[in-house]
Amino acid sequence: MDKLIESITQKCIRENLIDEDQAEWLQYSLQCKVMNIGGFCILIALGSLVAPFPQVLLLNLGLAFLRKKTNGLHMPTKLSCFAFSLACEYMCHQPPI
């Protein structure tokens, strides 16, 4: 992933889309986007194992919208954030005990 992001950044510099001093900013932004999209796809796939796809998609799209508006819950690591999100999704789809 890092090589792809680096090559995209270098292409943007060569095409004069960004200045060289903006390279780190672009790399960070691209990494965030890739992580968000990848995590979203994994949550959708795993959620579909325990609930109907439309329900999973609606829940995740709703949470993605709320996250942007409320700035989300901040966990200490990306892995703990993903694990917490997965646990929340699983609990939302399980029937009450």
Side-chain angles (χ1 to χ4, degrees):
M1 178 176 82
D2 290 335
K3 288 182 182 183
L4 176 63
I5 290 174
E6 177 65 30
S7 67
I8 292 170
T9 303
Q10 291 305 316
K11 178 140 179 88
C12 289
I13 291 171
R14 282 193 306 275
E15 298 291 327
N16 292 321
L17 297 173
I18 63 169
D19 295 328
E20 286 220 27
D21 61 334
Q22 295 174 317
E24 287 184 28
W25 170 83
L26 179 60
Q27 287 176 341
Y28 175 75
S29 296
L30 289 172
Q31 285 175 342
C32 288
K33 291 292 182 196
V34 168
M35 294 288 289
N36 285 338
I37 292 169
F40 184 77
C41 291
I42 292 170
L43 285 173
I44 295 291
L46 293 176
S48 295
L49 296 175
V50 296
F53 179 75
Q55 189 177 17
V56 171
L57 188 61
L58 183 62
L59 173 70
N60 281 286
L61 288 175
L63 291 177
F65 174 76
L66 283 175
R67 181 177 174 211
K68 286 181 183 177
K69 298 295 181 189
T70 62
N71 203 18
L73 172 67
H74 298 284
M75 302 298 284
T77 66
K78 291 177 184 176
L79 182 59
S80 63
C81 178
F82 183 74
F84 184 76
S85 296
L86 191 58
C88 286
E89 182 172 321
Y90 182 74
M91 287 186 293
C92 287
H93 293 303
Q94 291 305 305
I97 297 174

